[in-house]
């Protein structure tokens, strides 16, 4: 696990890219409830971070900054 507030970064990327939770969930084939949980997480598995970084077309390093 990586110790930072990745949920806040996800929220910023969603705002910047104008992607709501429903759309993100649909695109990543998960539930809106899961996206909501991600948005509250302080840390998450690197595989989840990579998936989100790829979706928003940013590097993993940029995602975790």
């Amino acid at each position: 696990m990586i110790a930072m507030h990745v949920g806040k970064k996800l929220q910023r990327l969603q705002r910047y890219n104008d992607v709501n939770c429903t759309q993100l969930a649909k695109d990543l084939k998960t539930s809106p409830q899961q996206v909501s949980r991600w948005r509250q997480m302080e840390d998450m598995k690197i595989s989840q971070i990579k998936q989100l970084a790829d979706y928003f077309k940013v590097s993993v390093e940029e995602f975790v900054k």
Side-chain angles (χ1 to χ4, degrees):
M1 299 265 191
I2 296 177
M4 68 211 56
H5 204 295
V6 294
K8 298 254 187 249
K9 180 66 174 200
L10 174 57
Q11 292 174 39
R12 285 191 293 268
L13 284 168
Q14 282 184 271
R15 275 193 305 272
Y16 180 78
N17 291 282
D18 195 27
V19 176
N20 64 35
C21 291
T22 303
Q23 185 62 48
L24 182 59
K26 181 179 174 187
D27 292 345
L28 295 180
K29 297 178 176 45
T30 191
S31 69
Q33 293 84 1
Q34 181 59 50
V35 172
S36 181
R37 283 190 289 270
W38 288 340
R39 290 170 53 94
Q40 303 307 314
M41 291 179 141
E42 290 188 25
D43 58 16
M44 66 176 63
K45 294 179 183 175
I46 192 70
S47 60
Q48 291 171 315
I49 291 172
K50 178 152 180 26
Q51 180 183 28
L52 291 166
D54 289 348
Y55 178 84
F56 288 107
K57 296 177 176 58
V58 298
S59 69
V60 169
E61 292 80 15
E62 188 176 344
F63 189 92
V64 297
K65 281 185 186 176

